Amino acid sequence: NRVHTTPQTLSQRQRPAMSPTLCLALSLASLAAGAAHYPRVSGARAASLRKAVPAWMQRGRRGAASLCRSSLDASRGSASGAPLGEIPGDPRVKMMQDNPEVVDEASMLKDSSFPIPPSELIEKAKLFPTWARSSFAGAPIAEDFKFVAPVVGPIDKATFTKAFSSFDLMEGFPDANTRAYNFHVDPFETNRVWFSTRFIGTHTGTMMGRIQPTGKVVVAPPQMNSVRFNEKGEINQITIGYAQDRQIGNTGGLGGVYGILYAIGAGLPFPEAQPWEMSWQYKAFQFLGRLAAPRN
């Protein structure tokens, strides 16, 4: 059972469009305005906050959010020409009748026009650990292939093939196990298989030709990955290493090779290859938020 949501046409929401940058600036300013409106903030501190934000902006917080949504809708065009799921109320997106905020995956997969059925795509994607162990030699890589990780890529086929052919994780971790699970086809992109991994392995071999064995057991956090196929069954995109819970494991919350290197004490010397740390800008933002918060 399913129901179709009703799309709103652009004619029903005739509002001026604005750039994403302007939307962001207006939203941040509106947050500042909201902080100035806390009823329990009083005295000189509250007065200084209110003076910093124009009155029209204080009244327009909801309007700012609405304008941004309208602008986003307008920039995406009609549902018929937009990617599946990127238009509010897209009738192609099926929702469960008993819970209209949960996608009816079975119905959407059944309606898919992609020539390779979901079950076959999943079986293909389950070869990922085997391909990875062989540096993707023999994997059906398409010419327009892309490799994308959290802070790496997109990388084209030639660069990807060269990079992986010169790197063998099994040399450093002979007992490495990807522990892949939860393979499923995306109902919005029916040529794409998502799956999770929980890598584990013991560093008993020399890694990258220079990192001597440490004997450390590396436990990575659960990571989300995907393999996308074209109609020929070739891989045209791989995404890997997106940590789902940075509290798990001993890689500092990092996924992929960066996490493995960090866990064995060989983390690379740049921020993207180190555990997340709060920036001074974010610290300042939180400090100002505490100042503006209501007091008991």
Side-chain angles (χ1 to χ4, degrees), residues 177-198:
N177 194 324
T178 302
R179 298 195 295 185
Y181 63 101
N182 193 26
F183 288 80
H184 60 281
V185 175
D186 191 328
F188 291 90
E189 298 177 80
T190 53
N191 62 334
R192 187 174 193 174
V193 179
W194 292 94
F195 63 97
S196 298
T197 57
R198 285 183 178 244

Side-chain angles (χ1 to χ4, degrees), residues 3-296:
V3 294
H4 294 264
T5 51
T6 303
Q8 276 187 303
T9 62
L10 295 178
S11 60
Q12 292 175 303
R13 21 188 339 139
Q14 292 298 329
R15 289 175 177 163
M18 62 174 70
S19 70
T21 302
L22 183 55
C23 282
L24 177 61
L26 188 54
S27 298
L28 291 175
S30 298
L31 284 175
H37 269 256
Y38 278 115
R40 296 186 181 181
V41 178
S42 59
R45 183 161 58 94
S48 63
L49 282 171
R50 290 189 179 97
K51 286 179 181 179
V53 182
W56 66 267
M57 194 174 289
Q58 294 180 18
R59 295 190 301 267
R61 284 172 289 155
R62 293 182 181 176
S66 180
L67 274 174
C68 287
R69 286 194 298 269
S70 299
S71 182
L72 184 60
D73 293 347
S75 67
R76 286 171 171 168
S78 65
S80 61
L84 180 61
E86 293 197 5
I87 291 292
D90 190 336
R92 298 171 296 173
V93 178
K94 312 298 192 305
M95 310 303 294
M96 299 298 292
Q97 187 172 9
D98 58 348
N99 191 341
E101 296 210 26
V102 175
V103 171
D104 187 345
E105 298 180 43
S107 292
M108 291 182 67
L109 291 174
K110 184 178 179 181
D111 292 346
S112 170
S113 60
F114 192 67
I116 304 175
S119 58
E120 187 175 335
L121 289 177
I122 288 173
E123 290 307 309
K124 287 178 176 291
K126 285 183 177 179
L127 294 172
F128 179 88
T130 303
W131 293 331
R133 284 178 178 271
S134 62
S135 301
F136 290 88
I141 304 294
E143 289 303 316
D144 59 348
F145 170 85
K146 290 189 300 181
F147 173 86
V148 187
V151 296
V152 176
I155 293 174
D156 62 22
K157 178 180 179 178
T159 306
F160 171 81
T161 303
K162 181 178 180 181
F164 271 81
S165 63
S166 60
F167 175 76
D168 186 358
L169 181 64
M170 299 304 297
E171 290 181 352
F173 293 83
D175 67 345
N177 194 324
T178 302
R179 298 195 295 185
Y181 63 101
N182 193 26
F183 288 80
H184 60 281
V185 175
D186 191 328
F188 291 90
E189 298 177 80
T190 53
N191 62 334
R192 187 174 193 174
V193 179
W194 292 94
F195 63 97
S196 298
T197 57
R198 285 183 178 244
F199 173 89
I200 192 168
T202 310
H203 184 211
T204 56
T206 302
M207 189 173 177
M208 301 172 68
R210 59 181 181 82
I211 304 175
Q212 297 302 308
T214 62
K216 293 181 178 179
V217 175
V218 176
V219 181
Q223 299 169 62
M224 183 59 76
N225 316 271
S226 75
V227 182
R228 193 178 67 191
F229 299 90
N230 62 21
E231 294 186 352
K232 298 178 182 178
E234 299 171 330
I235 303 168
N236 60 22
Q237 180 175 279
I238 290 175
T239 64
I240 68 167
Y242 291 83
Q244 296 172 278
D245 187 346
R246 56 188 173 89
Q247 304 171 97
I248 296 175
N250 60 357
T251 67
L254 296 167
V257 176
Y258 288 170
I260 293 171
L261 291 174
Y262 176 80
I264 62 176
L268 298 176
F270 46 83
E272 290 82 358
Q274 296 292 320
W276 177 83
E277 289 186 2
M278 190 181 296
S279 66
W280 69 264
Q281 296 96 328
Y282 190 23
K283 290 179 182 178
F285 180 80
Q286 290 202 331
F287 175 74
L288 292 174
R290 288 193 294 270
L291 286 180
R295 297 177 178 177
N296 296 326

